[in-house]
Amino acid sequence: MTNDNDKKENEKNKKLLDHDFDGIKEYDNPTPFWFQILFYGTIIFAAIYLFYYHIYKNGHPLKDEYLASVGQNNSNSNNGSGDFNYAENIKNKEMIDQGKQAYDTNCASCHGLQGQGGVGPNLTDDYWIIDNTYVAVEKVIDVGVPEKGMPGWKTILGDKKIKALVVYIASIQGSNPPNPKKPEGKEGKLH
């Protein structure tokens, strides 16, 4: 019987590491196989992720996905179908409503609830501090006028909402709201 106990004791001692700390001994157990698979799997996943999203140019870049989700794209086109035609969209009720919503949320505090002006210029008259073109109005909304306190809205609103906002501004031209701000800039119709 002592042989069996000695065998068990020897097997037990083989699994113990040679060092001990304060009488505490450590077993030399291998890492479980399932844990090794999980560990090496995460390394392989990270390598594929890195290649696909950061190195491979035709992949699915997260930056492009984010810009698309906020309504921005890398060109000034309307859904990739050519240049945006403001003249065709001036009567587009849905686009005007989208532009009004963006205006009420972001612009009314400076330009007035009806575009009559306040801190910012009157948007309903035929006088323009900038060029009186749709593209110039879009550019000012995109980059802002920092010296006058207007931030750029491109990263917040995105291309689609800015185009809708320009259409809304064009739709309120000549609306003559009460208490308008004095005209500023050069006279000319928005085109």
Side-chain angles (χ1 to χ4, degrees):
M1 283 219 174
T2 48
N3 268 347
D4 287 338
N5 285 339
D6 289 339
K7 274 186 181 179
K8 287 180 184 177
E9 188 66 33
N10 284 340
E11 285 178 21
K12 195 174 186 182
N13 288 338
K14 287 181 187 176
K15 291 183 180 181
L16 287 175
L17 295 175
D18 289 335
H19 70 276
D20 72 65
F21 182 75
D22 265 350
I24 300 171
K25 295 187 176 190
E26 183 179 356
Y27 283 110
D28 186 17
N29 291 332
T31 305
F33 185 68
W34 65 268
F35 191 82
Q36 290 179 11
I37 290 174
L38 183 67
F39 176 70
Y40 292 117
T42 58
I43 292 172
I44 292 168
F45 175 80
I48 292 169
Y49 184 91
L50 175 72
F51 178 76
Y52 186 73
Y53 284 105
H54 296 284
I55 297 171
Y56 184 60
K57 296 296 180 193
N58 293 327
H60 186 67
L62 293 175
K63 182 179 178 184
D64 291 345
E65 183 178 334
Y66 167 73
L67 291 174
S69 74
V70 295
Q72 290 183 319
N73 47 17
N74 294 334
S75 65
N76 286 331
S77 62
N78 183 20
N79 299 329
S81 61
D83 289 334
F84 185 82
N85 189 335
Y86 285 103
E88 289 178 6
N89 286 287
I90 295 297
K91 302 291 182 194
N92 183 337
K93 176 94 169 97
E94 183 180 323
M95 185 164 271
I96 291 172
D97 290 344
Q98 289 173 358
K100 180 172 177 25
Q101 183 179 11
Y103 180 87
D104 290 345
T105 304
N106 302 295
C107 310
S109 60
C110 293
H111 293 281
L113 288 174
Q114 298 171 344
Q116 74 272 18
V119 175
N122 183 347
L123 300 176
T124 62
D125 63 13
D126 290 333
Y127 290 86
W128 295 91
I129 297 172
I130 57 170
D131 287 341
N132 58 329
T133 64
Y134 301 121
V135 175
V137 173
E138 181 181 344
K139 183 177 180 185
V140 166
I141 295 170
D142 277 352
V143 298
V145 186
E147 60 273 6
K148 297 211 177 192
M150 180 179 169
W153 292 97
K154 184 173 181 95
T155 56
I156 297 167
L157 295 177
D159 290 337
K160 289 179 184 176
K161 286 184 181 176
I162 288 176
K163 287 181 185 344
L165 187 55
V166 173
V167 169
Y168 173 72
I169 291 169
S171 75
I172 62 172
Q173 290 294 290
S175 61
N176 297 321
N179 302 321
K181 187 173 182 179
K182 290 181 186 177
E184 300 175 84
K186 298 181 222 170
E187 187 175 7
K189 294 272 187 199
L190 183 61
H191 63 280

